[in-house]
Amino acid sequence: MIIVTGASGFIGSAVCRALESRGDRVLRIGRGADADLQWPAIGSGFAADAVALIGTARAVVHLAGATISERWTATHKRALRESRVNLTDALARAVGAAPRPPALISGSAVGIYGDRRDEWLTEASAPGTDFLGTLARDWEAATLPASQAGARVVLMRTGVVFGRGGGMLGKLKLPFSLGLGARLGSGRQWLSWIALEDAVQFVLRAIDDAAMSGAYNLCAPGPVTNAEFTDAFARVLHRRALVATPAFVLRAAFGEMADGVLLASQRVRPARLIETGFPFRFPDAAGALRHAVAA
Ligand SMILES: NC(=O)c1ccc[n+]([C@@H]2O[C@H](COP(=O)([O-])OP(=O)(O)OC[C@H]3O[C@@H](n4cnc5c(N)ncnc54)[C@H](OP(=O)(O)O)[C@@H]3O)[C@@H](O)[C@H]2O)c1
C-alpha cells in the first residue's frame, strides 16, 4: 500500500493514477470527504490507529500544501507554513514510529534556493534566506523525525510542473490563448521546470529504488528564461505574446509574491538525476509545452 497526501491536487492526482494503473493500492490522506484518512489538527499528531496504519505502508508520497501562487497575506503565509512544516512534522513522526518505517517521498521546491539570478544551482547549493527559501528549508527539516528513525527520505525540490489541467500552464493558458501572454518584468529570470510525466516517473522510481535518498532537484536539464518560456508557450498556442508586464504592475497586483515567485530566478541543474541517468521523456521546454497543450 502507498499513502499519498495532496492526492486531489495537480501532481497528486497524476501520481495516484500512475500508481493505481500499475496495481498499487493507494490510501489518501487529506482534508476532503473523499480522503481515506484526515489530517490531524495543526500542532497535534496522528491518533494511534492512524499511526499504526501509516506504518504498514510501503511508502508515503507527501504532496499536500497550500498554493504559493496567490497573494501572501499574513493569513496565507500562516497557511503556507502550517500546511507544509506542521503537517510534514506530523507525517514524519508517524512514519518514524513504525517498527519498519515506510519510505517518505516528500515535496519541496526549487524556491528553496531563493532568487539567485544566473547562478547555476545544484543540490549542494545553499538555501536562500527569503520567505520561500526559509519555508522550504523548514519544510525539508520537518522530515527529520522520519530519517532519524531510520526511514529512507527523498526530498523533491520540484521546479514548475508543465502539464495539462493545472499548475502554472493551467493558469496561463487562457490569457495566452487570448493573445494576452507577456513576459514578466525583464524576462531574464530563470524558470526551472519539469514535465508532469517526468515528475510522476520520478515518484515511482523514488518509491521503488531503495538506493535513493536525500534531496533531488526535480527539474529538466534545460531551464529557460521567462522570456524564452513566454515566446515558446505563445508559439505552441499559435499566438503572439505582448511585450512585457512591468515589475511594478506585478508588485501592485500580487505584493510580496511577485518578487518571491514571479520575478525570482532559479537556474537549477538536476545534478543527481543527470548523474544517475534519469530517462527524461521531455528534456526540452518546447517539447514539454507542446505535449502539455496537446495531451
Ligand atoms: N505544481 C508545481 O508547479 C509545483 C512546483 C514546485 C513544487 N510544488 C509542490 O508540490 C506539491 C503538490 O503541488 P500541486 O501543484 O499538485 O499542488 P495543488 O494542485 O495545489 O494540490 C495540493 C494539495 O494539497 C492539499 N492542500 C491544499 N491546501 C492545503 C492546506 N491549507 N492544508 C492541507 N492541505 C492542503 C490539497 O489536497 P486535499 O484537498 O486533498 O487535502 C491539494 O489538492 C505542493 O507542495 C507544491 O508546493 C508544485
Side-chain angles (χ1 to χ4, degrees), residues 5-13 29-32 34-35 39 42 62-68 79-80 82-84 87 107-111 139 156-162 166-168:
T5 80
S8 64
F10 171 51
I11 305 173
S13 54
I29 298 181
R31 304 163 303 167
D34 52 346
W39 285 111
I42 296 298
H62 178 35
L63 292 163
T67 181
I68 60 158
L80 285 169
E82 289 178 349
S83 66
R84 290 191 167 70
L87 296 185
S108 178
V110 295
W139 183 14
M156 301 179 280
R157 293 184 178 168
T158 312
V160 170
V161 178
F162 289 171
M168 187 172 98

